[in-house]
Amino acid sequence: MAMQHKTSILIFLLFLFGFFLSMTVSVADESEDPELTECLEECRSHPHYDIGMQKRCEDKCNQEHPPGKWDPRQGRGSGQSRDKEDPEQRLAKCRLNCRRQYSEHGQQMQCQTKCEETYKHERSSNPQRRYEEQEGEREEDNPYVFGRERLRYEIQSDRGYVKVLDKFHEKSKLLLGIANYSISLLVANPRTFVTPVHFDADCVCYVVEGRGTVTTLRKGDRKSHGIRKGDVFVTQAGSVLYLISSDLRQKLVLAKFLRSNSLTGQVSHFYAAGSENPESVYRSFSDEILEAAFNVPRDRIESIFSRQWQGAFVEASEEQIRALSRYSTEGGRWPFGESRGPFNLFEKDPIHSNRYGKLYEANSDDYRKLGWLNLRVSLANIREGSMIAPFYNSRSTKFAVVTEGSGYIEILCPHVARRGPRGSRAQRYREHEQERRERRYREEEEEEEYQEGPHYRRVRAHVSRGTVFIVPPGHPVVEVASRDQNLQTICFEISADRNERIFLAGRNNILRKLEREAKELAFDTSAREVDAVFDAQKEEVFLPGPGARRHRHDRGESEEWGGSESDDASLSELLPEF
Amino acid sequence: MAMQHKTSILIFLLFLFGFFLSMTVSVADESEDPELTECLEECRSHPHYDIGMQKRCEDKCNQEHPPGKWDPRQGRGSGQSRDKEDPEQRLAKCRLNCRRQYSEHGQQMQCQTKCEETYKHERSSNPQRRYEEQEGEREEDNPYVFGRERLRYEIQSDRGYVKVLDKFHEKSKLLLGIANYSISLLVANPRTFVTPVHFDADCVCYVVEGRGTVTTLRKGDRKSHGIRKGDVFVTQAGSVLYLISSDLRQKLVLAKFLRSNSLTGQVSHFYAAGSENPESVYRSFSDEILEAAFNVPRDRIESIFSRQWQGAFVEASEEQIRALSRYSTEGGRWPFGESRGPFNLFEKDPIHSNRYGKLYEANSDDYRKLGWLNLRVSLANIREGSMIAPFYNSRSTKFAVVTEGSGYIEILCPHVARRGPRGSRAQRYREHEQERRERRYREEEEEEEYQEGPHYRRVRAHVSRGTVFIVPPGHPVVEVASRDQNLQTICFEISADRNERIFLAGRNNILRKLEREAKELAFDTSAREVDAVFDAQKEEVFLPGPGARRHRHDRGESEEWGGSESDDASLSELLPEF
Amino acid sequence: MAMQHKTSILIFLLFLFGFFLSMTVSVADESEDPELTECLEECRSHPHYDIGMQKRCEDKCNQEHPPGKWDPRQGRGSGQSRDKEDPEQRLAKCRLNCRRQYSEHGQQMQCQTKCEETYKHERSSNPQRRYEEQEGEREEDNPYVFGRERLRYEIQSDRGYVKVLDKFHEKSKLLLGIANYSISLLVANPRTFVTPVHFDADCVCYVVEGRGTVTTLRKGDRKSHGIRKGDVFVTQAGSVLYLISSDLRQKLVLAKFLRSNSLTGQVSHFYAAGSENPESVYRSFSDEILEAAFNVPRDRIESIFSRQWQGAFVEASEEQIRALSRYSTEGGRWPFGESRGPFNLFEKDPIHSNRYGKLYEANSDDYRKLGWLNLRVSLANIREGSMIAPFYNSRSTKFAVVTEGSGYIEILCPHVARRGPRGSRAQRYREHEQERRERRYREEEEEEEYQEGPHYRRVRAHVSRGTVFIVPPGHPVVEVASRDQNLQTICFEISADRNERIFLAGRNNILRKLEREAKELAFDTSAREVDAVFDAQKEEVFLPGPGARRHRHDRGESEEWGGSESDDASLSELLPEF
């Protein structure tokens, strides 16, 4: 009974705290409070706490050390504040503890499952989340945003995994037009060989982190290329492909954008190597076919194709990695040779850069193979507390994967228009203008008979590492980094040919081009008043975010915050998994 | 009781009259009967008649003055006979009367609604219509023809409207292949500004009537072009677009052909200007986003984006129009400069022209941007009482919008084959040939066991201003102008590359190319007999229509009937609305 | 009672025999056993046997003369063993007998219907078939293979027929991606004219056998080309097309690959000539339209368009054929002139050829019009007892039609994965490896919690003349000729651009390119052991099939077995119909 009581109070306090949080909009920054940090650390390291107890301990810490208001003067870079304790990260830490605490695989697994159960509960009772739900921004209502949990395991093993996004159109009919595109993530542990596979899709890979080698077999030829963070490379449908994650400490993480070549739009993987799970394609042919094909008796064939019990991710020795890396084709890297190998996004100057963010981009001019897919690849790095100005792509559909940090986005969606959420502001203004309108137009009532013109629903969603979101062409979108983390997204934009990013605010706001008279007619006010609003924003593309103080970045901080390679593997371990 | 009785008789007489009409096929030409005209005029101008009374009055006139037989000698041009009293036109006049009778908007609206209710009833009891239904040519059975009523309002206001055709495939599965195309109509009153909008579709616009200016914002650039009747211009998906209807008396009417770029195939409009209905996209972002994006407090933003109560169609002063027209980019008009601006169909010689019709055409050679859409735009002007020879497009699907006049079309459709309507002629002939066949082939009964080969259903439909019809590739079609009005259609033909119009009758009948022996084998008769039929028609492309007397056009009439710009605004007011 | 008893025994024996057959895999070769041949001949020629009795008689023969083991020394070419008695061929012979026995058409039809009923039953009780069903290889489970019976009659007459495959996606959702492709077969008797038709599809035709002339009408022009076995020609959507089958004894057989241009994906035929069935398109227009279009009274039009009672296939006199053939455009044949006319696959050297098979191929370099469709046409002739090595197409979907012989195929299919059939071999090996694995990895149980990676279902099917099968891109496939007949397939491969055939066994096995270390990692064994398996097969592309004795083809047989034209019309009559 006492226990129950305690829990109720706990939840109530949690809720209050969440409400407070969402009202002030300033996100708690626990790691800065040394007492809170210490408290949390104690919970985690307590030798006799199980997962449930650990969580209750952490909750208590959070209550006892409520975060102070956000101090804009402290201007923190993304690196330092990464360990902010959102439920995802607490889950990640919990999992990490499992791996440290137990040496046996079975026990590790059990422990991790418990972590997930525990924090899944917390995630759903997360006040931030509940606030969002009240606003009608639950993921289910949102056709364009796919949380990390929408990625299902295609392959999963001790040494790595492949996760694939559900087919887009199965979430929403609005996405039928991109049914043959897909997003997948590959994560390979340090010093791991990913066995040969081909699939029925063209693939654009972005190296999120780590380093290694990619080898493709095609036209009877073998080509190997070294890969590292920031690299983009394209593999053709049907090419046999294998990888090495060669770093000693850091995982190799690839974000893949796939355009299926198949009859169904779904992507299939065909593994060639000698394992049972994933099954080698060879194992599926009849015995007599294999005997005839290889011209050897079946027992020798079986001994080859059933041996690799590790599956698709195989531990490699240092010698094997060194040997395989040696084959890598040199001279193929941009900008020194022909751009046949990977192209590194960070090697080219960003196409937009200011103190609020940087935009890197590669198109078919930079990397010929992107032209085959009519694709543009871009990486937006929005500094903490900043945002990208509202804009739309004139032709492209954009597939974005958040690779670092967190924040939120708003997409305007004409297809799921609802009148509810729009009401408040419209009504407020309606009252102001009531009088003025009545003077000019008597039959307010009659007007109600008119057909309603288009309205837009605001699709708003929290995004963090591993979130995938889609922005259809023409749809205005805005992306905002959280106050304490840079938001980095890798974007794959299809129909790149003749596409244009059109900005609706900032110095390059397209509407600033309206003639004086057009402004007057469109806004029913003097052009001077319109200009006063349109010209107030002096920045373009990347802007200070909501609530940000202007002077924050004026203290001459180093500009070295974007695009740099962070090699701190232990830190990456702390990040929520993809 | 007496009233009911009267109505029954009325309906009966109406039916008799309709039956008579459909039998003689000669369309009544009421306006020529001065007594009838006077009678009708009296009904309309009666100061105390309400709509219902007015209609009954008109019905009575029509009964008392049954139209005489059609006099072919009178050979009237399209202009003079436009006021023929089909129910649609009576509805248009009724609406016009509303606007004249009432000065207050609310009363006008009420009056117009009553008009619609009244004439909707008449339309359904229209004998012409009933005749068509008996022939199985109701619109519901007809997958390829969309009456004016299938266009729904996207935007509607006092000063103009935008109407969009229902999604094609929602009418019939046969149209699934064109799900991402759409047709829409924009009508703007004289001296009206159409506020900035972008949409997720490439758009080909044809100026049906009126004049004005179109401005597009793209790549940070503004381009304005003057437009007038006959102009074709293309706007790219995502471009911000606004228009001026600059004429003092005539409306600006655009027929738009849209190829959606969106994920669903549906076209969405995104309005930028400061109105509530249609909603400005800006109004849908969160307040904090807008404050950050514009760097001004929210009340100033609201005052800009909520002011334009007129919506998308805004009254413009003469000075504003003059000023905006002045920005129009000069030198861009075909054939004097580079063809970057609109292309006027009437500035190029028609590709076919004879006394029965004219065919104007523009393809990517004339106007480069049509090549992006692989499109051909053509305008067929079929003279009253004439027809276009049966033909098909080898590759193109044709989207046609009737812009003037009326008539009917027949499309042969293999997908909706029915045996019924085909029966009569087949049976008649079968009796003639019975004997001959029995000589050559005894087992007539047995033959019935054979699989039935393909048969075609004749899709026949009355078309008039505002009707949209689709002709799939390969499907033979014929278009016939009514006896007293030219039939003008603007056609958008997709898959234009390598397309060919192939004629099945007339001097360029493709089958005239058959070798002598092939004719004999195909028709089982002497080649001489086949040639006698194939060679009898000396004209090509445009032919005299059914029932037309050959000598009718031989009196040396002026050829200035097609493609001329009619500036009579009051006349256009009398036309049925689109 | 006695009868029932007898039948049961018969069926039991049949089953036993079937089981024996399927175990030894050596297919019975009845024609070699002179006693059996005689016995069967007697059954068929018995003057008083009806179909049912004939069948029972044949069954008895087969029991009394069980076939001996297959003698590899006898190495028969495809020609000599064509009359092997599979149920399809027995049906064909039965039909032939009908035509010989009865002179009246009606009786012939009745007789043939009886044949079909009789042998349909046998086909389902065919032990070979039952064996297949036990293996889960029934056609219904198999999305990619379409037996002859899936082709339905579009046109059927005494002198020829057109058969069209059901729409692909109606069989399986897996084929939605090829919904606008189709396969059809046209068979025209000797000396037959196929009347003019156009359809809403681009068409690639392969001449399976026979000779004749094809004429197309397009752009007001007529072009005729002689055609013969091995010719490939392309006709554009909308072209009017007609054919002559000019041989005196042999039928003209075309395999057509169609890419629909229509809105639905379905192909429609529009016949122009003067027949009722198929209906001439002219007959569907209204009478008044036709009168106006042709400018002649309706009775003369009717007399032209209703006369050809023979329908689409019309008997032609020798003079007519000679005359029509004379128009054939000369100088257009590859390699002497511009390749505008048909291209003959056999005129170019095969791209792969060894004693086990030949592969002929034409792409857009050889025949420009194939480029329009992004198509590659190839003909694989696999010698009896041989196979094509396991391979996949990197981008192309392959549509294959078996034109001669029989055999079986295996396609690996990831979409219809089932665990059942895979079990046996996997389990066997698991036992061998049990010990080794336990040493290295204790938590076998725990591993079961992991997600299952991809597995493949083996789709295996018997194929013979008239079978159509589809191989999606990336899907490994193997094709094996039966032991006594060459297997010839004509393949239409779409998405030909940048496509590559990638082989998984044989000297050009793509995996032989793996580096030494990659082999070790992928197969978890020494590279030496892997090479021992990969290098054992010295042949490439075409290999000796399962169970084939190596020395069989070493006796210096003539190589003239492939691609030769067999003119033996009576033999072709004995073949199962398409």
Side-chain angles (χ1 to χ4, degrees), chain A residues 66 97 125 173 205 215 279 305 324 353 362 410 540 559:
Chain A
N97 279 340
S125 69
K173 283 194 175 177
C205 300
T215 307
E279 192 180 33
F305 289 113
L324 283 169
S353 174
E410 290 189 4
E540 65 179 35
E559 282 287 314

Side-chain angles (χ1 to χ4, degrees), chain A residues 92-246:
Chain A
K93 281 193 185 167
C94 177
R95 278 195 186 121
L96 182 65
N97 279 340
C98 291
R99 282 185 295 241
R100 285 180 179 160
Q101 225 169 329
Y102 301 101
S103 54
E104 276 189 47
H105 175 75
Q107 287 174 311
Q108 276 183 16
M109 293 294 289
Q110 273 186 338
C111 169
Q112 289 187 12
T113 306
K114 215 157 183 181
C115 287
E116 276 177 58
E117 278 163 14
T118 310
Y119 287 96
K120 191 190 295 164
H121 172 71
E122 174 170 310
R123 271 189 287 178
S124 63
S125 69
N126 178 357
Q128 175 71 22
R129 213 156 238 267
R130 247 182 305 147
Y131 167 67
E132 283 171 2
E133 282 171 12
Q134 284 163 6
E135 287 280 292
E137 285 155 10
R138 286 168 308 158
E139 210 232 309
E140 302 90 270
D141 292 345
N142 183 334
Y144 299 134
V145 183
F146 296 77
R148 202 172 12 249
E149 71 282 4
R150 305 286 303 208
L151 293 152
R152 60 172 173 72
Y153 286 103
E154 172 91 18
I155 307 280
Q156 187 184 15
S157 85
D158 271 6
R159 303 203 59 83
Y161 54 86
V162 176
K163 271 181 169 181
V164 181
L165 199 61
D166 292 347
K167 295 181 77 174
F168 290 120
H169 64 281
E170 279 170 9
K171 182 168 185 193
S172 165
K173 283 194 175 177
L174 293 179
L175 302 178
L176 261 173
I178 50 169
N180 60 335
Y181 291 93
S182 184
I183 294 280
S184 87
L185 289 167
L186 179 146
V187 177
N189 278 6
R191 288 194 293 178
T192 298
F193 176 76
V194 187
T195 63
V197 65
H198 76 265
F199 28 86
D200 47 2
D202 292 305
C203 177
V204 184
C205 300
Y206 171 75
V207 183
V208 178
E209 54 199 38
R211 78 181 86 212
T213 306
V214 58
T215 307
T216 50
L217 304 180
R218 194 173 160 72
K219 299 204 173 167
D221 234 31
R222 188 184 65 223
K223 274 184 188 151
S224 290
H225 294 283
I227 49 175
R228 60 192 166 95
K229 183 176 176 171
D231 272 352
V232 173
F233 61 93
V234 173
T235 64
Q236 285 202 55
S239 296
V240 174
L241 176 79
Y242 50 98
L243 296 161
I244 310 163
S245 167
S246 58

Side-chain angles (χ1 to χ4, degrees), chain C residues 44-140:
Chain C
R44 279 160 209 154
S45 54
H46 196 293
H48 299 305
Y49 277 6
D50 68 10
I51 309 291
M53 287 161 83
Q54 183 185 321
K55 190 191 153 275
R56 279 192 295 274
C57 169
E58 289 173 1
D59 288 344
K60 215 167 173 182
C61 290
N62 283 319
Q63 287 161 52
E64 287 165 8
H65 304 274
K69 289 222 170 207
W70 179 72
D71 184 357
R73 301 249 162 205
Q74 281 182 305
R76 260 172 276 105
S78 57
Q80 296 123 38
S81 56
R82 264 176 181 158
D83 48 353
K84 178 190 148 282
E85 293 291 291
D86 82 31
E88 299 288 353
Q89 289 180 6
R90 283 160 78 177
L91 171 58
K93 281 193 185 167
C94 178
R95 279 195 185 120
L96 183 64
N97 279 340
C98 291
R99 283 184 295 240
R100 286 179 178 160
Q101 227 168 325
Y102 301 101
S103 55
E104 277 188 46
H105 176 75
Q107 288 175 311
Q108 276 182 17
M109 293 296 287
Q110 273 186 338
C111 169
Q112 289 186 12
T113 306
K114 215 156 184 182
C115 287
E116 275 177 58
E117 278 164 14
T118 311
Y119 287 96
K120 191 191 294 164
H121 172 72
E122 174 169 307
R123 270 188 287 178
S124 64
S125 70
N126 177 359
Q128 174 73 21
R129 212 156 238 267
R130 247 183 301 146
Y131 166 66
E132 284 171 2
E133 283 171 11
Q134 285 163 4
E135 286 281 292
E137 286 155 9
R138 287 168 308 159
E139 211 232 309
E140 300 91 90

Side-chain angles (χ1 to χ4, degrees), chain C residues 452-487:
Chain C
E452 276 284 319
H455 288 289
Y456 312 98
R457 189 161 84 84
R458 180 171 71 237
V459 163
R460 182 182 166 128
H462 176 79
V463 300
S464 61
R465 186 171 160 97
T467 304
V468 175
F469 60 94
I470 310 295
V471 188
H475 287 51
V477 62
V478 70
E479 300 164 22
V480 185
S482 66
R483 304 232 173 149
D484 51 357
Q485 294 181 68
N486 292 338
L487 176 65

Side-chain angles (χ1 to χ4, degrees), chain B residues 456-473:
Chain B
Y456 312 98
R457 188 161 86 83
R458 180 172 71 237
V459 163
R460 181 183 166 128
H462 176 78
V463 299
S464 61
R465 186 172 160 97
T467 304
V468 175
F469 61 93
I470 309 296
V471 188

